[in-house]
Amino acid sequence: MLIVNYGTPDLTLTAAGSACDDPRVGEVIVVDNAAPGDPTSVPRLRDFAAQHADRVRFVAAGVNRGFGAGTNLAAAQATLPYLFLLNSDATLQPGALQPLIDALADTGVGVVAPPVYQPDGTLQPDAFGRFPTPWRILLRRTRARRNDPSPDWVSGVACLVRRAEFMQSGGFDEAIFMYHEDVELCWRYRRQLGRSIRRLQSGAGVVHQGGASHPVSRLQRQTYDRSQDYFLHEIGCSAASRRLVRLVRAVYRRAGGPRLTGPVSAPAGGADVPSGRGGAP
């Protein structure tokens, strides 16, 4: 179990506690991404690790290089064959892990995600989707069907991968500070490793406190847009098509029209960052 903390020790301790309550979880690695003005996370998380020394390890990154880099740091400390990524503002429900492990018995599957529930018990609609392309973005058709068991990508809020394949792929692209790092990872799993993406649609999963859409800051939107532009570049979209996306996106926002992107979760704990994603722009 890999969890990245960014100034939200209460949430992170709850997430880690839910992992420790599951006997299927063999190790929990918590990385602190050094939020400024946060004097409590490191001592509290270190104490938690000491109290659960048989299964929990704590790593203080000392510098914040983003969610992906924090997760990669945690993965490098892992020793077991599976890595379960869990957002710091999500909790694991009892019985959620075994169906994921069973899904990875199919060697063609590389990433499998549990159902991601919002606090009201409904499924989070933006926890999976289709790869964004310029035309899908402009037409606002990046969401997959609600009952799609094999979307293009699943959210890093919660997913299970094989450690060997994650390390072989290079892990998250650390050029992406925040947003789309999970989309880009799934794209490489498909393209480079030839693995499919699986999403379980019912049963035990995780509850994501940040799963609802809320008003977000300008800085968050700018960070989201930069990450999306980077992803489009990485998958080979032309400079002209990327400029068109930026232009139309700006026009829509000035006019108050429909969004060209999916919802961006509100920050947890007052930080100007996506909830539970372990980094800040």
Side-chain angles (χ1 to χ4, degrees):
M1 183 79 67
L2 312 182
I3 304 172
V4 179
N5 175 71
Y6 185 79
T8 57
D10 289 336
L11 291 172
T12 301
L13 288 169
T14 299
S18 72
C20 288
D21 288 341
D22 192 320
R24 295 289 303 175
V25 177
E27 61 183 2
V28 180
I29 302 170
V30 180
V31 169
D32 179 71
N33 254 5
D38 173 28
T40 65
S41 283
V42 169
R44 291 181 64 188
L45 296 174
R46 184 174 285 131
D47 286 348
F48 180 85
Q51 293 166 15
H52 301 81
D54 58 328
R55 282 200 291 171
V56 180
R57 274 175 285 161
F58 172 69
V59 180
V63 62
N64 177 26
R65 295 189 294 120
F67 171 78
T71 302
N72 289 346
L73 178 59
Q77 306 295 317
T79 60
L80 298 181
Y82 297 110
L83 302 176
F84 185 80
L85 283 57
L86 183 68
N87 263 27
S88 65
D89 63 345
T91 52
L92 184 69
Q93 295 180 324
L97 276 184
Q98 189 59 53
L100 303 177
I101 295 171
D102 292 343
L104 285 186
D106 180 347
T107 57
V109 176
V111 183
V112 59
V116 179
Y117 298 103
Q118 299 181 128
D120 63 3
T122 60
L123 287 170
Q124 183 175 325
D126 58 337
F128 58 97
R130 303 170 72 191
F131 289 133
T133 64
W135 294 115
R136 284 176 181 170
I137 294 168
L138 294 173
L139 296 174
R140 300 186 300 281
R141 293 180 178 174
T142 57
R143 287 192 176 181
R145 301 188 313 274
R146 183 176 294 272
N147 61 348
D148 190 346
S150 186
D152 289 344
W153 62 269
V154 291
S155 173
V157 166
C159 60
L160 186 73
V161 298
R162 300 177 188 89
R163 181 180 181 276
E165 289 180 347
F166 185 82
M167 303 305 287
Q168 177 187 350
S169 75
F172 284 119
D173 185 342
E174 296 185 12
I176 302 177
F177 191 90
M178 185 70 61
Y179 299 120
H180 284 80
E181 65 282 296
D182 40 17
V183 178
E184 195 276 340
L185 180 72
C186 290
W187 182 79
R188 277 189 288 116
Y189 260 72
R190 286 183 176 276
R191 184 179 180 86
Q192 296 180 6
L193 302 182
R195 300 291 185 262
S196 65
I197 311 302
R198 182 76 53 82
R199 166 184 167 257
L200 305 186
Q201 303 171 59
S202 61
V206 302
V207 178
H208 185 209
Q209 296 299 321
S213 178
H214 299 280
V216 294
S217 72
R218 180 180 180 183
L219 181 57
Q220 284 176 278
R221 288 206 179 279
Q222 290 174 340
T223 303
Y224 186 97
D225 293 347
R226 284 196 301 270
S227 296
Q228 189 176 77
D229 291 344
Y230 176 84
F231 175 77
L232 294 177
H233 174 269
E234 288 298 291
I235 66 173
C237 296
S238 69
S241 67
R242 300 197 309 273
R243 284 195 298 271
L244 178 61
V245 169
R246 290 194 293 269
L247 174 63
V248 177
R249 180 197 289 148
V251 170
Y252 268 58
R253 286 182 179 166
R254 279 197 295 268
R259 290 178 296 197
L260 297 185
T261 60
V264 181
S265 294
D272 191 17
V273 295
S275 173
R277 296 313 302 270

